[in-house]
Every structure is written in C-alpha cells, then in structure tokens.
Amino acid sequence: MYYGVQKPPKPFVLHSGSRAQNRVLLNNPTQMNSQSSPRSFNVDRIREDFPILKREVRPGVPLVYLDSAATSQKPLHVIEEMDRYYRNTNANIHRGIHTLAEEATADYEKARESVARFIGAKSPRQVIFTRNATESINLVSNTWGRKNLNSGDVVILTEMEHHANLVPWQMLAAEKNLKLEFIPVTEDGFLDLSALPALLALEPKLVAFTHMSNVLGTINPAQEIIRQAKAAGAVTLLDGAQSVPHFSVNVQDLDVDFMVFSGHKMCGPTGIGVLYGRQDLLEKMPPFMGGGDMIKRVYLRTFTPNELPHKFEAGTPAIAEAVGLGAAVAYLENFDMEAIHAHEKKLVIYALDQLAEIPGVKVIGPTAEHKGGVIAFTLDNIHPHDISQILDEDGVAIRAGHHCAMPLHDKLKLVSTARASFYMYTTEAEIDILARAIYKTKKIFSI
Ligand SMILES: Cc1ncc(COP(=O)(O)O)c(C=O)c1O
C-alpha cells in the first residue's frame, strides 16, 4: 500500500553486456539475443525494414528519399514498439504505483540506458531527454551558460554551425554581453584549425561546434578540437545531430563535456532528443524548466530540485517517443556503426563521380574522404527550389534552401543550395535516378 511516502527511485543499472551482446536479432527485432553478431550489411534487406521506402510518391513513381539529414525514415521495429507501448502500456511515469505506470517508467528508463550505452556514457544519469538537439543546446545555454558566463566572456563557435548552435548563444550574448568568436571555414569546406590557437588564447569559457556539417558534410576532428579547447580551460559542447546517427561516437573517448543530438535523425521518432553532459557539470547546473518531476520537494514559496536526470525533465515527458528512440538504438545496434559509415562513404564517392559528369553541377564541401553522407550542390543558376520541385516529379526528395546554416551560405556567397543526403538504406540505384533527374532539370531550363 502507498502511504504518501515517496518511493525511492529505482537505481540505474547499466546493461552489463557489451554492445555486441546486446544486439537485437534482426529477423525478430523485438528479441534480444546475447549470442548474435552484427547483422551483415545488406542494403536490400535493410530497406525491407523501412515500410515507407516501398511507397510511391504518385502512381508509378517510387519514392527516392535523399533527405535523411533533415530526418531519417523509421524502421518497422520503431513503429511497432511505439504501437506496442500505446496498445499495452501507456501510463504516466515516475508517479503512479499501478502496474502500467511501473511498466511505462521501466520502458522510459530502459530507453535512457540504451542511449547511454550507445554513446558510451558512464551513467544513464548523464542522459537527459529533451525534444531535440535544438532544445538540448538551449538547455545548456539557459542553465550552464546563464550561470557561468559573464560580461566579456568569450564563446567560440564555428562558421559552419546550424542555427541551433548559433542562435541560443547569440541570445545569451545579447543578454550577458558575451563575445562570440568563430573558427573560420576554408574555401574547400574545412574548419581552419590554424586559427584555433589564437582563438584559444582569448581564454574562451566555451567551445561549441558541430561534429559533422549538415551542409558541407565535413566531419570535423572533434577529439583534437576538444583536447585543445580543454587544455585552454574551456568547456566543450559537441553538436552530434549529424554524427551520432551515422558513425560510432563515444563520449568518453571524445572526453567531451556536453553532446547533443536528435532521435528523429537516427531512425527514431520526432519529439525526442538528447543532452549528454559531464555529471559534475550537470549536477551544478540549475534546472531548465520548472514543474512536475523536476522537483524533490515543493513548498509554497520554494522548491528543491530533483536528482539527475529528472532535474532537467519537467512535466510529462515524451514517453512513447523515448520508447521509440530506445527501439531505434536497438535497431542500430544490430549493425556495426562503422559498416553504416562505410556504406555512406561508398555512396558519397559514387554520387560525387556521377555529379562530376553533369556540366553545371558544383558540389560544396570537401572531397569524399572527409565527408559524411551529405552532398550540397548548385546547378548553373537554377534556384534550388526549382531543382527540388522538378526532382520531386521523379519521386526524388532532396532539401533545398539554406539548411538552417545562413551564415555558412553567406560565407560561401550563396543564397541557397540543393542537398542530397544518405543513410543506411540509400542505394546507388537511387543516386542514378537523382543524376537522371538533374539532367532532366537542365533540359527543362534549356541549359
Ligand atoms: C548539425 C545540426 N545541428 C542541429 C540540428 C537541429 O536538429 P533539430 O531540428 O532536430 O533540433 C540539425 C538539424 O538539421 C543539424 O543538422
């Protein structure tokens, strides 16, 4: 019986098994098999796991989805796990004592454990669920930033950041009179690391940068930048929105202080994101939003905040979405993340070769060896919106615009670009269709 005394929180237990031991059997994705080895990388079989890839955009026109950097498609396992949760388990978490509430809480916390394991966090307490990478950065700027940054302090960002890692710092800079400095981007799409020593000599309090550019595809040498930044006494924040879904990222190897990413770009649902943080930093940070669940005790005029991670999760969280993210992690854990990366690298090489043959196509960013599965390009002076619209006639979904990186486009003296982006389910045949559709676009514009 429950007499109003708060039940002690269940201790977090990290799965003791290694990643390989925790892989999910793919033919029956809901079944864990401690003996299974990584699933061999077979793109045709992988595509079978993603129901949407079978659809036609209109009769006779199959979908060619080349917009995974915006959001990935979802495997059946994720869809079914969320369906199972709502059909079977749905209840609010951390407060009810009935069976459903306990099962829902267990599902939610199991998802946190899965995410912690996936990124190599020491403890699930270091994994805070947010809505997305954007909210995770806002959480850090509003709590750690507001508490620790003062007038005149320097924050170092880069010229290739997504708006999510610019605007929150601009807002705080306006409020606190901070100085924002930027690692420049070279003409061929790299961070100019020769500028870093002079920037670090400014004794920045924070160095926040993207692991992989969502426009250039550039994979930045995160470990080295973090090492130098920390040696200069800065706190580091890594935007892993485009890296965590695509290759192996281990927060302990990187020795990063904060890392953010979004569930929806890694086979999970929208509405769930992650902030990873160093435990001592998270513990010292004030709460982000106030309300239920983030408190230990509330009085009429004051409150005491809850323990990690709940201190940062006010109100009813995205429970089904967390379950979906846990399922996405389980799905990805079937594979060697390096096999996913290798597949995308092969696609980039193939696509760059194809695009190089089309007169008028100009690819932005570095060569294939330094790039993840993102190719932004221009085509003569055809507006990327027109390119995207014509490609859509052939079922090809790409992104057109500034991709939430206006300052980078300013630097490149471009207003917008077209962007094709790949994931584990993308095929060379789809890149052939993209190339044919680009030729068709040129023909329509008589170029
Ligand atoms: C590099 C990078 N950072 C941050 C974000 C923001 O992600 P979200 O919109 O899921 O918060 C994106 C989204 O495209 C991104 O590509």
mmCIF file of all heavy atoms in Angstrom, residues 69 132-134 162 164 210 212 214 239 241-242 262 264-265, ligand 1:
data_model
loop_
_atom_site.group_PDB
_atom_site.id
_atom_site.type_symbol
_atom_site.label_atom_id
_atom_site.label_comp_id
_atom_site.label_asym_id
_atom_site.label_seq_id
_atom_site.Cartn_x
_atom_site.Cartn_y
_atom_site.Cartn_z
ATOM 1 N N ALA A 69 19.314 13.780 -43.886
ATOM 2 C CA ALA A 69 19.946 14.733 -42.962
ATOM 3 C C ALA A 69 18.879 15.601 -42.296
ATOM 4 O O ALA A 69 19.084 16.115 -41.199
ATOM 5 C CB ALA A 69 20.957 15.603 -43.694
ATOM 6 N N ASN A 132 14.695 17.743 -28.788
ATOM 7 C CA ASN A 132 15.566 17.629 -29.964
ATOM 8 C C ASN A 132 16.931 18.249 -29.636
ATOM 9 O O ASN A 132 17.119 18.796 -28.536
ATOM 10 C CB ASN A 132 14.934 18.322 -31.186
ATOM 11 C CG ASN A 132 14.382 19.697 -30.834
ATOM 12 O OD1 ASN A 132 14.999 20.438 -30.088
ATOM 13 N ND2 ASN A 132 13.218 20.027 -31.362
ATOM 14 N N ALA A 133 17.834 18.205 -30.597
ATOM 15 C CA ALA A 133 19.173 18.777 -30.390
ATOM 16 C C ALA A 133 19.070 20.271 -30.071
ATOM 17 O O ALA A 133 19.818 20.791 -29.232
ATOM 18 C CB ALA A 133 20.027 18.566 -31.643
ATOM 19 N N THR A 134 18.149 20.939 -30.735
ATOM 20 C CA THR A 134 17.975 22.380 -30.524
ATOM 21 C C THR A 134 17.648 22.668 -29.063
ATOM 22 O O THR A 134 18.240 23.551 -28.431
ATOM 23 C CB THR A 134 16.835 22.905 -31.432
ATOM 24 O OG1 THR A 134 17.166 22.592 -32.783
ATOM 25 C CG2 THR A 134 16.620 24.391 -31.270
ATOM 26 N N HIS A 162 24.946 24.941 -37.596
ATOM 27 C CA HIS A 162 23.488 25.005 -37.772
ATOM 28 C C HIS A 162 22.968 26.130 -36.874
ATOM 29 O O HIS A 162 23.569 26.426 -35.833
ATOM 30 C CB HIS A 162 22.911 23.659 -37.332
ATOM 31 C CG HIS A 162 21.462 23.448 -37.600
ATOM 32 N ND1 HIS A 162 20.476 23.981 -36.794
ATOM 33 C CD2 HIS A 162 20.819 22.759 -38.564
ATOM 34 C CE1 HIS A 162 19.295 23.612 -37.262
ATOM 35 N NE2 HIS A 162 19.466 22.875 -38.338
ATOM 36 N N ALA A 164 20.862 26.099 -34.797
ATOM 37 C CA ALA A 164 20.627 25.583 -33.438
ATOM 38 C C ALA A 164 21.826 25.817 -32.528
ATOM 39 O O ALA A 164 21.667 25.890 -31.304
ATOM 40 C CB ALA A 164 20.307 24.086 -33.494
ATOM 41 N N THR A 210 30.047 21.760 -34.357
ATOM 42 C CA THR A 210 29.367 20.600 -34.909
ATOM 43 C C THR A 210 30.366 19.494 -35.246
ATOM 44 O O THR A 210 31.475 19.771 -35.717
ATOM 45 C CB THR A 210 28.543 20.981 -36.159
ATOM 46 O OG1 THR A 210 27.772 19.856 -36.557
ATOM 47 C CG2 THR A 210 29.409 21.414 -37.337
ATOM 48 N N MET A 212 29.652 17.116 -37.466
ATOM 49 C CA MET A 212 29.590 16.986 -38.934
ATOM 50 C C MET A 212 28.651 18.054 -39.475
ATOM 51 O O MET A 212 27.535 18.208 -38.982
ATOM 52 C CB MET A 212 29.077 15.593 -39.304
ATOM 53 C CG MET A 212 28.906 15.419 -40.801
ATOM 54 S SD MET A 212 28.445 13.735 -41.216
ATOM 55 C CE MET A 212 27.221 14.082 -42.479
ATOM 56 N N ASN A 214 25.953 19.851 -41.619
ATOM 57 C CA ASN A 214 24.756 19.373 -42.317
ATOM 58 C C ASN A 214 24.678 19.934 -43.732
ATOM 59 O O ASN A 214 23.740 19.623 -44.457
ATOM 60 C CB ASN A 214 23.485 19.738 -41.536
ATOM 61 C CG ASN A 214 23.274 21.227 -41.450
ATOM 62 O OD1 ASN A 214 24.224 21.974 -41.219
ATOM 63 N ND2 ASN A 214 22.047 21.682 -41.636
ATOM 64 N N ASP A 239 27.910 19.249 -31.172
ATOM 65 C CA ASP A 239 26.621 19.029 -31.822
ATOM 66 C C ASP A 239 26.735 17.739 -32.635
ATOM 67 O O ASP A 239 27.338 17.726 -33.717
ATOM 68 C CB ASP A 239 26.299 20.239 -32.704
ATOM 69 C CG ASP A 239 25.010 20.047 -33.488
ATOM 70 O OD1 ASP A 239 24.421 18.941 -33.423
ATOM 71 O OD2 ASP A 239 24.602 20.999 -34.170
ATOM 72 N N ALA A 241 24.246 16.042 -33.970
ATOM 73 C CA ALA A 241 22.995 15.764 -34.700
ATOM 74 C C ALA A 241 23.243 14.980 -35.988
ATOM 75 O O ALA A 241 22.437 14.131 -36.368
ATOM 76 C CB ALA A 241 22.259 17.075 -35.004
ATOM 77 N N GLN A 242 24.382 15.275 -36.646
ATOM 78 C CA GLN A 242 24.650 14.578 -37.921
ATOM 79 C C GLN A 242 25.696 13.482 -37.777
ATOM 80 O O GLN A 242 26.004 12.802 -38.760
ATOM 81 C CB GLN A 242 25.114 15.588 -38.990
ATOM 82 C CG GLN A 242 24.091 16.637 -39.366
ATOM 83 C CD GLN A 242 22.876 16.066 -40.109
ATOM 84 O OE1 GLN A 242 22.873 14.919 -40.551
ATOM 85 N NE2 GLN A 242 21.826 16.866 -40.228
ATOM 86 N N SER A 262 19.502 14.457 -31.934
ATOM 87 C CA SER A 262 18.044 14.300 -32.074
ATOM 88 C C SER A 262 17.698 12.866 -32.424
ATOM 89 O O SER A 262 18.376 12.265 -33.272
ATOM 90 C CB SER A 262 17.523 15.183 -33.217
ATOM 91 O OG SER A 262 17.629 16.534 -32.887
ATOM 92 N N HIS A 264 15.109 11.846 -34.135
ATOM 93 C CA HIS A 264 14.456 11.655 -35.446
ATOM 94 C C HIS A 264 15.438 11.515 -36.596
ATOM 95 O O HIS A 264 15.048 11.112 -37.694
ATOM 96 C CB HIS A 264 13.478 12.805 -35.727
ATOM 97 C CG HIS A 264 14.135 14.134 -35.964
ATOM 98 N ND1 HIS A 264 14.454 14.560 -37.229
ATOM 99 C CD2 HIS A 264 14.532 15.118 -35.118
ATOM 100 C CE1 HIS A 264 15.015 15.776 -37.144
ATOM 101 N NE2 HIS A 264 15.070 16.128 -35.873
ATOM 102 N N LYS A 265 16.704 11.850 -36.368
ATOM 103 C CA LYS A 265 17.686 11.688 -37.446
ATOM 104 C C LYS A 265 18.373 10.327 -37.373
ATOM 105 O O LYS A 265 19.255 10.022 -38.156
ATOM 106 C CB LYS A 265 18.739 12.802 -37.369
ATOM 107 C CG LYS A 265 18.177 14.197 -37.678
ATOM 108 C CD LYS A 265 19.287 15.220 -37.688
ATOM 109 C CE LYS A 265 18.799 16.644 -37.551
ATOM 110 N NZ LYS A 265 18.182 17.193 -38.754
HETATM 111 C C1 LIG B 1 24.151 19.853 -37.419
HETATM 112 C C2 LIG B 1 22.773 20.044 -36.878
HETATM 113 N N1 LIG B 1 22.605 20.523 -35.650
HETATM 114 C C3 LIG B 1 21.412 20.707 -35.094
HETATM 115 C C4 LIG B 1 20.281 20.402 -35.795
HETATM 116 C C5 LIG B 1 18.957 20.647 -35.146
HETATM 117 O O1 LIG B 1 18.261 19.463 -35.030
HETATM 118 P P1 LIG B 1 16.741 19.516 -34.508
HETATM 119 O O2 LIG B 1 15.997 20.358 -35.501
HETATM 120 O O3 LIG B 1 16.322 18.090 -34.525
HETATM 121 O O4 LIG B 1 16.781 20.129 -33.170
HETATM 122 C C6 LIG B 1 20.382 19.896 -37.089
HETATM 123 C C7 LIG B 1 19.173 19.603 -37.880
HETATM 124 O O5 LIG B 1 19.186 19.534 -39.075
HETATM 125 C C8 LIG B 1 21.664 19.706 -37.646
HETATM 126 O O6 LIG B 1 21.811 19.220 -38.868
#
